[in-house]
Amino acid sequence: ADYGDIIPISNTLLADEKANLISYIGKRFNKKAVNTENQKIIALLNTLTPTPVSNYKGIITALNKTLDPAISQNAVIITNQTYFDILDQMEDKQGRPLLTISLQDETKKMLKGRYIIVLSDTLLPMNGTSAPVFVGDMTEFATYFDREGLELAISSEAGFTKNATFIRAIERFDVKKVDGDAMVYLEVAVA
């Protein structure tokens, strides 16, 4: 499907600006494209049947027993900011953190050697007092089809009657489920 956006910009503003406004708008389009792609992927993940679990140990059980070992080996853990904050503050009885830091990228955290991908609470909201957690191999779960990336076009003719230049961004992509057993949807109780 095609996804796009059009931004009209005053020709007067374009003539007066010195801060590379077009570059800023291009960054805005890129951010919006990533958010649109993530929404489509999350919609596909939400087609899975959620399994309620009482705490983080449900994630470990999913890695050890629910997922096929070949899938579990390449698994990631996807959750929202709220539950990531809870996990990040957990410690064992000796005061050591539950999550480990990736040796390859110190900004990334891991649980049982699997990367944790954190999405915003607005993109992946809480389900009442339960946190949404997806565990598995996204590359096995879904295929992302991309057609020619993000296309930007500028037209001063389209906005002629409004003394404006229109900037248009169009992206063509789709996301399809391949192996529904490659991901597990957990609702982890937090209260």
Side-chain angles (χ1 to χ4, degrees), residues 151-168:
E151 172 200 322
L152 289 175
I154 299 174
S155 173
S156 55
E157 291 83 17
F160 179 77
T161 60
K162 298 181 187 223
N163 191 30
T165 296
F166 285 23
I167 301 176
R168 179 189 73 196

Side-chain angles (χ1 to χ4, degrees), residues 67-89:
L67 294 170
D68 181 277
I71 298 290
S72 179
Q73 184 177 5
N74 297 317
V76 295
I77 300 162
I78 302 169
T79 191
N80 62 13
Q81 293 168 289
T82 299
Y83 192 61
F84 174 74
D85 185 51
I86 292 168
L87 283 175
D88 199 30
Q89 294 183 37

Side-chain angles (χ1 to χ4, degrees), residues 9-10 34-35 55 60 76 92 133 147 159 177:
I9 300 173
S10 162
V34 168
N35 285 340
N55 57 36
I60 296 170
V76 295
D92 66 12
V133 178
R147 179 83 170 115
K177 189 186 298 185

Side-chain angles (χ1 to χ4, degrees), residues 6 25 38 44 49 68 75 80 85 92 116 119 158 177 181:
I6 296 175
I25 291 170
N38 285 343
L44 194 62
T49 304
D68 181 277
N80 62 13
D85 185 51
D92 66 12
I116 299 175
L119 301 178
K177 189 186 298 185
D181 294 331

Side-chain angles (χ1 to χ4, degrees), residues 110-175:
M110 303 172 85
L111 176 65
K112 293 289 189 184
R114 278 55 165 225
Y115 284 102
I116 299 175
I117 298 170
V118 182
L119 301 178
S120 72
D121 284 344
T122 54
L123 197 57
L124 191 60
M126 296 290 288
N127 299 327
T129 59
S130 296
V133 178
F134 298 96
V135 182
D137 187 343
M138 279 300 297
T139 60
E140 294 291 327
F141 173 71
T143 296
Y144 177 81
F145 300 95
D146 189 12
R147 179 83 170 115
E148 298 179 5
L150 186 63
E151 172 200 322
L152 289 175
I154 299 174
S155 173
S156 55
E157 291 83 17
F160 179 77
T161 60
K162 298 181 187 223
N163 191 30
T165 296
F166 285 23
I167 301 176
R168 179 189 73 196
I170 295 178
E171 180 181 29
R172 186 178 178 101
F173 74 92
D174 201 1
V175 182

Side-chain angles (χ1 to χ4, degrees), residues 11-119:
N11 286 335
T12 307
L13 175 63
L14 280 174
D16 293 344
E17 73 94 14
K18 301 277 188 254
N20 201 0
L21 182 62
I22 301 299
S23 174
Y24 174 78
I25 291 170
K27 289 177 187 176
R28 178 186 178 271
F29 279 136
N30 279 331
K31 184 176 179 181
K32 192 169 185 179
V34 168
N35 285 340
T36 301
E37 293 163 7
N38 285 343
Q39 287 172 350
K40 297 299 176 187
I41 292 168
I42 289 169
L44 194 62
L45 286 168
N46 281 328
T47 63
L48 297 170
T49 304
T51 302
V53 295
S54 58
N55 57 36
Y56 76 93
K57 292 180 181 179
I59 299 170
I60 296 170
T61 299
L63 290 167
N64 293 341
K65 290 177 62 180
T66 309
L67 294 170
D68 181 277
I71 298 290
S72 179
Q73 184 177 5
N74 297 317
V76 295
I77 300 162
I78 302 169
T79 191
N80 62 13
Q81 293 168 289
T82 299
Y83 192 61
F84 174 74
D85 185 51
I86 292 168
L87 283 175
D88 199 30
Q89 294 183 37
M90 287 185 174
E91 297 177 341
D92 66 12
K93 292 179 183 173
Q94 284 79 37
R96 295 175 299 201
L98 174 69
L99 302 182
T100 57
I101 297 172
S102 168
L103 296 177
Q104 287 122 359
D105 184 351
E106 293 182 7
T107 65
K108 306 286 185 199
K109 298 273 180 118
M110 303 172 85
L111 176 65
K112 293 289 189 184
R114 278 55 165 225
Y115 284 102
I116 299 175
I117 298 170
V118 182
L119 301 178

